[in-house]
Amino acid sequence: MERPAWAPRSIDITVPSVSRMYDYYLGGSHNFEVDREAARKALEFMPGLPKVMQANRAFMRRAVRFAVGEGVTQFLDIGSGIPTFGNVHEVARAAGSGARVVYVDHDPVAVAHSQAVLADDEDADIAAADLRKPQEILGSPQVERLIDLNRPVALLLVAILHFVEDADDPYGAVAELRDALAPGSMLVLTHASYEGIPLPQERAEGAVDVYKDIRSPLIMRSREEIARFFEGYDMVEPGLVPMPHWRPDTAPEDEDPWAFSGFAGVGRTA
C-alpha cells in the first residue's frame, strides 16, 4: 500500500482507525482503504452510520453556540478527530469573538492534520493525548498556553466515550476532568447506545463486532449508564435526549430515523 504524502511516517496504514473511519462516514478524504473496508463492513449492519455522525456534528455545533451564548469562550475538545468543515473554533468564533480552543486526540493522522489547519491560529491548538490520562491533557503545553482553568471551560466529549471500556474507568476520567475545571464549566457529550437505533439490536451488534475485530471496541451504554457521566453537573434543558431533540434548529420529525441513535446532553457545574 502506497503511503500518501499527508500520512505521518510513524503510523501503521494497514490497521483501521476509528477517527479515519469517522472521516470516511462524513465523506472526508483522509482515510485509507483499510479504514474504508472496515467502515463498509459496519455499514452492512448499520447503513445509517453516516446519518448518526452527521447528527453528532450538528449537535456539537448547537452546543458550542449555546456555550458561547452562556458566556463560555474556552473549549477543550477531546477525541476531536480529523478536521472537517464546521470545527469547534470556527463555530465558536462565528457565535462570538475571543474563543480559545484546544483539541485533543491520540490518532497521529488527526493530530497532524489539526496541526496543519491550526498552524497560523494563535488561539487554537492540538494536543496529542488520551482521554484515559486526564493529567496528560491538563498538563499539556497547549492547555497551559490557551486554557485558563480558573475560568469556565466547555469540555467536549462528542462520540468518544463509547470507545473507552469500563476497565479503563471512563467515569473516573470524566470526574477528574470535571474537578479540574472552574465553576460554570460545561460538559458537552454524545454517546452511542442500542436505544433509538431503527433496527433490531441483534443486527446492530454486527457493526459493534466490526469495531471489536479492529481492536477498538464500541461500548453501547444504556441511557442510565450515560447519565452517570454527568454526576456533578446540572443538566441543561432538555436533558439527556436523542441528538435531534437537543435544542433543534429544525423540526426533529424531519430528521432521518438514524439520527435518533444514542444520546446527547449538556451539563453545567454550579
Side-chain angles (χ1 to χ4, degrees):
M1 183 186 302
E2 185 176 349
R3 180 182 298 272
W6 50 262
R9 301 297 306 177
S10 59
I11 69 166
D12 185 349
I13 62 175
T14 67
V15 177
S17 152
V18 294
S19 66
R20 297 194 304 267
M21 290 170 68
Y22 192 99
D23 178 68
Y24 173 74
Y25 293 138
L26 288 173
S29 59
H30 294 105
N31 48 76
F32 307 126
E33 179 54 33
V34 67
D35 306 307
R36 296 188 285 272
E37 182 180 353
R40 287 192 290 265
K41 286 180 181 177
L43 287 167
E44 289 176 10
F45 298 99
M46 292 179 62
L49 279 171
K51 292 295 183 182
V52 179
M53 309 311 170
Q54 291 165 17
N56 261 283
R57 297 288 296 181
F59 161 76
M60 178 275 287
R61 290 191 287 268
R62 297 196 303 276
V64 167
R65 290 195 295 266
F66 171 78
V68 172
E70 293 291 302
V72 177
T73 58
Q74 301 187 110
F75 296 85
L76 183 58
D77 183 2
I78 301 177
S80 50
I82 295 168
T84 58
F85 175 75
N87 293 300
V88 172
H89 68 285
E90 296 168 330
V91 177
R93 289 172 190 169
S97 61
R100 291 189 164 203
V101 180
V102 174
Y103 297 100
V104 179
D105 210 291
H106 63 77
D107 184 299
V109 171
V111 172
H113 276 283
S114 297
Q115 288 171 335
V117 168
L118 303 171
D120 298 321
D121 195 320
E122 289 295 317
D123 292 323
D125 207 343
I126 174 80
D130 193 312
L131 170 60
R132 294 169 292 188
K133 299 177 180 178
Q135 292 307 315
E136 184 181 295
I137 295 170
L138 296 167
S140 68
Q142 295 83 3
V143 168
E144 291 184 348
R145 181 174 74 86
L146 288 174
I147 304 295
D148 179 359
L149 294 175
N150 295 310
R151 294 175 47 238
V153 176
L155 171 63
L156 276 67
L157 300 175
V158 176
I160 180 64
L161 283 164
H162 47 235
F163 291 114
V164 184
E165 297 180 85
D166 288 341
D168 290 321
D169 192 16
Y171 296 104
V174 173
E176 194 170 343
L177 289 164
R178 177 201 65 212
D179 292 346
L181 303 181
S185 292
M186 293 183 175
L187 173 60
V188 175
L189 180 153
T190 67
H191 198 297
S193 176
Y194 286 120
E195 298 175 46
I197 294 177
L199 47 70
Q201 178 173 327
E202 296 74 25
R203 181 73 178 170
E205 286 171 351
V208 172
D209 287 342
V210 171
Y211 283 90
K212 186 184 300 181
D213 289 344
I214 66 170
R215 299 182 182 178
S216 294
L218 179 59
I219 312 302
M220 305 291 267
R221 295 188 171 97
S222 68
R223 184 182 184 281
E224 182 179 353
E225 290 170 323
I226 298 166
R228 282 183 53 202
F229 288 113
F230 286 96
E231 288 183 3
Y233 290 91
D234 295 325
M235 292 299 296
V236 170
E237 289 294 332
L240 186 62
V241 295
M243 291 175 285
H245 285 303
W246 198 89
R247 298 176 179 250
D249 294 328
T250 58
E253 54 268 26
D254 294 337
E255 292 283 352
D256 187 284
W258 282 94
F260 296 86
S261 305
F263 293 96
V266 175
R268 191 163 195 179
T269 56

